[in-house]
Amino acid sequence: MKLSLNSFQGELPVVADRLLPDNAASACMNGRYEGGSLVPEREVYDRVSVVIPGGAGGFQLTDETTIQNAFNNPPAPGSNLSIIAQDSWLITIPTTGDIIRGPLASDAYNRWYIARQGSAPKVRYTKDGATGEKGLAVNPPVLSYSFEIGYADSPASQRFGGGISQRPEGLALVRARQDEYQGSARWYGTEFDITAKPEQLKASLEADEIPYESVFSTYVLTVVSILGEESKISGPSRVVERLESDSIVLGVILQFGDAIFDDPQIEKVNVYRSDGSGSFGYVGSLSRAEYDVQLGESATRLATNSFDVVLWSNGFTAFFVDTVPSSKLGESNITADWDQPDTSMASITNVGAGLLAGHFDGTVCFCEPYYPHAWPVEYQYNFADDKADVEVMGIVATAGFILVTTNSRPVLMFGSEPGAMSQQVVDIVAPNVSRRGLVDMGDYALYPTHDGLMMVSSGSARLVTKGVFSKEQWQALNPAGFVAFRYNESYLCFSGGVAFIFNAETGYFPIDPWAQLGAVTVLDGYYNPASDSFWILLIEDDVLTRIVKFGAGDLAELSWRSKEFQIPGGLAFSSARVEGDEDVQFILTGDGGYSYSATITSDAPFRLPPGRPRTLQLELRSSGRIDAVAVATSMQELY
């Protein structure tokens, strides 16, 4: 008779020891399944670490050069190197949240997007060699605060008195200057006569026998950030009658107020115009640099015999002259529906094809593809339930769908167009109890519920740990505290001082990778496939917050103990064999005081002490791979 184990599984705590499969562990530590064999986990590499003096709840390394150089040139044995965190290569946030790279493959600004509970979403960027951070939202200009006009025959209080909101919109008509006109304004080298009303301009053109036509136009503005992000359009101006002529340059003055450049992150203002077509074509822009030049000018009064317009005074400090005929309008504006992200957006994740997804309360939202600052209201999906308030707990994109976990039922979303996503509510009450425990596993996702680990694929949802843990055993792991990752195609999870690897096919493998550290709580982590580096943010002894490299230290000693095998009476096992690539401590115990322990240094069979125990249990310990183990009643059976 031979007991042979050619593959190994992890623990199945809910199963009684005598009923375990032959290759399942009754106890194991620091081992994991790999290709049918049992392999040891590595400890964390803590001789080099990044120290975060102020603490953190989440992080992202935007450039690994500094820390990788330190790992490539480690300190002398017995000493450690602590690198102080720097903003130039590390982003930290004080609480749990998401930090993701932008969707552009070659982003000139190296943008990273940040969302967390209790704070408006932000973007971290690099510009002109310096690192900066700003709000993700680019707020549209408020048109009534942006345009100003003053007519000589308007009441002074309407032109210049009171607050900005009391002033009418800034539209005035101009024509190219002729010598007989006294007052003028200069715009890019051209001098213009200013005429406040269409009737006056028409009269002057008719007097000069210049043909013209009337065009009724509406203006909108957008602002553009220092990162080239264009805002949603402002509200429209009133309709203004413009005059166009093939013989002379005619135009409209738009005068801006101080508030247009109050936000230091705004680089320029874009002007768009509609001439009745329904779309707004590009007219031109006023940059901050041009605004600053105008701001530096003295307050100037421009006048003609019959009216005046005041520029650069009373809080209205810049102007723009539109001389673009209808036939020369630029590209149509595309930002009419580009709303700002909700200020309470608590998560952000990349779901592919330039699309980012986030959530706030019970609503899932999407950005405009490849424009992460624009989050149209039309791309929002509310998961309200008639029976209860639904709160979104986390979002993850798998190979075939987007999974939205809630405090009730999970929801699958399908589609590539953010405004046309289909939804499938999974008919199972399975609340996600830990946002950080939600992990994309490729074709499916895993997340912790009150009862166990839920596996959701495009066609089904099931409690994948049902045959592994009882509810009481599962709750003892503190699923609400899970911080989990996809690691070697398994579910790697940390919760307080507990750490384990779970695989749906091979079971539960507890690990203890912190041999050189004190009491550890894992806060965050991420895997960089480009450098094959897995970084972990942890707090040690409730005091020191630092980043260490997971799976890069020394090999830990794995231990694996089998079930208790029942042996038919009268049989005596005399021989054994262990196959592996390192020395293995082989321990065999049985009833009646039977016990044998030896360090096995080769794959050759070896003799066991005499005895006829009715139960046998194997235990293996090693810092190397174990491929197989067998015990038999004769040497011949081992070959």
Side-chain angles (χ1 to χ4, degrees):
M1 180 180 178
K2 181 172 72 170
L3 297 177
S4 179
L5 301 179
N6 295 312
S7 66
F8 298 87
Q9 290 188 9
E11 294 182 20
L12 301 173
V14 74
V15 180
D17 187 86
R18 60 187 174 81
L19 299 177
L20 285 171
D22 287 353
N23 62 345
S26 62
C28 64
M29 179 60 68
N30 289 331
R32 61 181 169 85
Y33 173 89
E34 185 178 277
S37 300
L38 194 63
V39 298
E41 262 304 334
R42 288 186 177 273
E43 298 171 353
V44 297
Y45 187 86
D46 70 323
R47 288 178 55 204
V48 176
S49 63
V50 177
V51 176
I52 305 174
F59 82 105
Q60 183 67 254
L61 285 164
T62 58
D63 185 346
E64 292 183 9
T65 303
T66 298
I67 190 169
Q68 284 287 18
N69 286 342
F71 275 98
N72 294 336
N73 299 279
S79 60
N80 296 325
L81 173 62
S82 295
I83 306 169
I84 303 300
Q86 300 292 326
D87 286 345
S88 59
W89 46 267
L90 177 70
I91 301 173
T92 61
I93 51 178
T95 57
T96 296
D98 297 321
I99 307 170
I100 64 168
R101 187 184 291 277
L104 298 180
S106 299
D107 188 352
Y109 300 110
N110 189 29
R111 278 171 280 202
W112 294 80
Y113 295 89
I114 305 166
R116 64 182 180 88
Q117 197 82 36
S119 177
K122 295 179 173 61
V123 56
R124 173 72 68 90
Y125 61 90
T126 302
K127 188 173 190 285
D128 300 328
T131 299
E133 186 175 288
K134 72 178 193 68
L136 180 54
V138 181
N139 297 319
V142 180
L143 186 138
S144 62
Y145 282 72
S146 305
F147 291 169
E148 167 72 359
I149 184 172
Y151 297 149
D153 55 358
S154 299
S157 62
Q158 187 182 41
R159 287 193 291 148
F160 308 122
I164 293 176
S165 61
Q166 298 176 5
R167 298 171 180 173
E169 298 161 355
L171 300 171
L173 303 180
V174 299
R175 59 169 281 181
R177 187 181 181 199
Q178 294 181 340
D179 291 340
E180 61 264 29
Y181 288 92
Q182 299 176 3
S184 65
R186 182 174 294 278
W187 181 253
Y188 286 109
T190 301
E191 289 193 353
F192 294 95
D193 291 305
I194 302 173
T195 306
K197 295 183 178 180
E199 291 76 13
Q200 292 173 303
L201 183 55
K202 289 177 184 179
S204 71
L205 294 173
E206 290 167 359
D208 294 335
E209 298 183 347
I210 298 174
Y212 66 88
E213 63 175 326
S214 293
V215 181
F216 292 89
S217 302
T218 306
Y219 288 89
V220 294
L221 304 179
T222 65
V223 292
V224 180
S225 78
I226 58 174
L227 304 182
E229 304 156 326
E230 188 170 12
S231 75
K232 182 177 181 175
I233 61 174
S234 67
S237 72
R238 62 176 172 83
V239 177
V240 60
E241 182 182 1
R242 295 187 310 105
L243 304 182
E244 290 190 4
S245 172
D246 293 333
S247 304
I248 190 171
V249 177
L250 302 173
V252 175
I253 290 180
L254 285 68
Q255 191 172 355
F256 303 130
D258 283 341
I260 202 76
F261 282 109
D262 273 359
D263 184 348
Q265 304 294 340
I266 298 305
E267 184 73 19
K268 66 178 179 178
V269 180
N270 283 345
V271 179
Y272 293 88
R273 192 183 77 221
S274 174
D275 294 335
S277 65
S279 63
F280 287 90
Y282 178 72
V283 175
S285 62
L286 177 71
S287 70
R288 179 178 288 275
E290 293 165 335
Y291 167 81
D292 289 341
V293 169
Q294 292 189 19
L295 192 64
E297 299 285 347
S298 301
T300 304
R301 179 175 293 274
L302 304 176
T304 68
N305 293 331
S306 59
F307 64 91
D308 62 37
V309 175
V310 175
L311 305 177
W312 309 315
S313 64
N314 293 285
F316 287 85
T317 55
F319 70 96
F320 175 92
V321 179
D322 168 21
T323 61
V324 178
S326 298
S327 61
K328 297 293 180 64
L329 281 176
E331 292 185 357
S332 295
N333 174 272
I334 61 172
T335 71
D337 299 321
W338 287 13
D339 299 290
Q340 307 98 292
D342 193 280
T343 56
S344 60
M345 193 165 77
S347 70
I348 191 166
T349 186
N350 194 328
V351 298
L355 201 57
L356 305 185
H359 86 270
F360 57 93
D361 301 326
T363 299
V364 171
C365 49
F366 295 91
C367 78
E368 187 70 26
Y370 296 103
Y371 294 96
H373 68 287
W375 295 74
V377 172
E378 290 80 0
Y379 299 168
Q380 294 182 1
Y381 298 83
N382 189 275
F383 294 98
D385 191 315
D386 293 339
K387 300 178 182 178
D389 292 332
V390 174
E391 179 182 352
V392 174
M393 299 300 294
I395 305 169
V396 70
T398 71
F401 61 93
I402 299 169
L403 174 63
V404 180
T405 61
T406 73
N407 58 349
S408 180
R409 292 174 170 81
V411 180
L412 278 60
M413 302 187 76
F414 302 90
S416 57
E417 293 294 331
M421 291 285 187
S422 62
Q423 304 165 53
Q424 176 186 334
V425 179
V426 181
D427 191 18
I428 181 173
V429 177
N432 180 0
V433 298
S434 172
R435 173 181 163 187
R436 277 284 181 231
L438 172 62
V439 177
D440 163 36
M441 298 299 296
D443 293 330
Y444 62 94
L446 295 172
Y447 70 91
T449 69
H450 294 298
D451 300 315
L453 198 61
M454 183 63 63
M455 172 190 282
V456 181
S457 64
S458 59
S460 65
R462 65 186 179 94
L463 202 63
V464 74
T465 54
K466 186 175 181 179
V468 180
F469 299 101
S470 67
K471 184 171 183 177
E472 291 73 19
Q473 290 168 335
W474 178 254
Q475 286 295 324
L477 297 176
N478 185 29
F482 277 16
V483 180
F485 310 92
R486 182 179 178 179
Y487 179 69
N488 288 329
E489 301 310 311
S490 294
Y491 185 84
L492 171 63
C493 182
F494 306 96
S495 180
V498 175
F500 65 87
I501 296 170
F502 177 80
N503 185 288
E505 296 179 353
T506 59
Y508 163 72
F509 291 87
I511 59 173
D512 181 15
W514 322 116
Q516 308 302 319
L517 306 180
V520 166
T521 299
V522 172
L523 304 172
D524 196 8
Y526 90 101
Y527 174 72
N528 183 352
S531 61
D532 191 27
S533 301
F534 186 21
W535 308 99
I536 294 289
L537 174 69
L538 56 83
I539 184 167
E540 185 179 357
D541 296 327
D542 293 326
V543 175
L544 181 63
T545 303
R546 57 178 174 154
I547 297 169
V548 297
K549 195 172 186 179
F550 185 83
D554 296 332
L555 287 169
E557 181 184 72
L558 71 84
S559 64
W560 186 92
R561 188 169 69 236
S562 74
K563 64 180 283 185
E564 195 173 75
F565 292 97
Q566 303 298 313
I567 308 302
L571 289 179
F573 285 84
S574 63
S575 309
R577 183 184 183 191
V578 179
E579 297 178 42
D581 60 7
E582 295 288 343
D583 293 352
V584 178
Q585 186 178 1
F586 175 89
I587 303 169
L588 185 65
T589 57
D591 65 331
Y594 183 86
S595 179
Y596 174 74
S597 177
T599 299
I600 309 305
T601 60
S602 74
D603 293 348
F606 54 92
R607 291 289 184 182
L608 298 175
R612 297 179 183 272
R614 290 174 296 178
T615 63
L616 280 178
Q617 191 169 43
L618 285 164
E619 184 171 350
L620 306 171
R621 298 176 184 174
S622 179
S623 294
R625 174 186 292 267
I626 301 174
D627 297 314
V629 61
V631 294
T633 55
S634 68
M635 280 283 189
Q636 289 78 8
E637 291 178 293
L638 296 175
Y639 290 97

